[in-house]
């Protein structure tokens, strides 16, 4: 039996609702490791279910696992994640 990849779901940033981002660093074997945790409060127009679907689509569309292990960005230099800093704010 063969399986076909699921279709990419559309992602709309507004569907996330309020997005909370927390950053910190911690000790790791190669020195301090930066960590980033981002989550939705579930207050998008379609409620918690819509926010959950938007987060899943965002991750899947960028090749990140949903519900899996942590992703080591150092091991994946092509990871499609960036941070925009303007006027001292991220």
């Amino acid at each position: 039996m063969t399986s076909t990849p699921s279709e990419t779901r559309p992602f709309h940033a507004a569907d996330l609702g309020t997005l909370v981002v927390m950053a910190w660093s911690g000790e790791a074997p190669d020195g301090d490791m930066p960590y980033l945790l981002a989550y939705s409060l579930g207050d998008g127009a379609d409620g918690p279910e819509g926010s959950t679907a938007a987060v899943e689509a965002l991750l899947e569309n960028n090749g990140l696992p949903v519900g899996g292990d942590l992703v080591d960005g150092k091991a994946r230099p092509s990871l499609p994640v960036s941070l925009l800093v303007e006027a001292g704010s991220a």
Side-chain angles (χ1 to χ4, degrees):
M1 173 184 247
T2 60
S3 61
T4 58
S6 60
E7 288 185 32
T8 302
R9 289 184 283 177
F11 167 72
H12 305 284
D15 294 340
L16 289 171
T18 303
L19 187 65
V20 178
V21 179
M22 298 184 333
W24 72 96
S25 64
E27 290 185 32
D30 294 333
D32 280 351
M33 174 69 71
Y35 296 90
L36 184 65
L37 173 66
Y39 62 94
S40 171
L41 294 181
D43 60 352
D46 292 331
E49 294 82 12
S51 294
T52 298
V55 168
E56 288 178 0
L58 173 64
L59 293 172
E60 290 172 355
N61 292 352
N62 286 286
L64 297 171
V66 175
D69 293 331
L70 293 175
V71 174
D72 181 357
K74 186 175 177 182
R76 289 186 52 194
S78 63
L79 192 65
V81 176
S82 62
L83 177 64
L84 175 63
V85 178
E86 288 185 355
S89 296

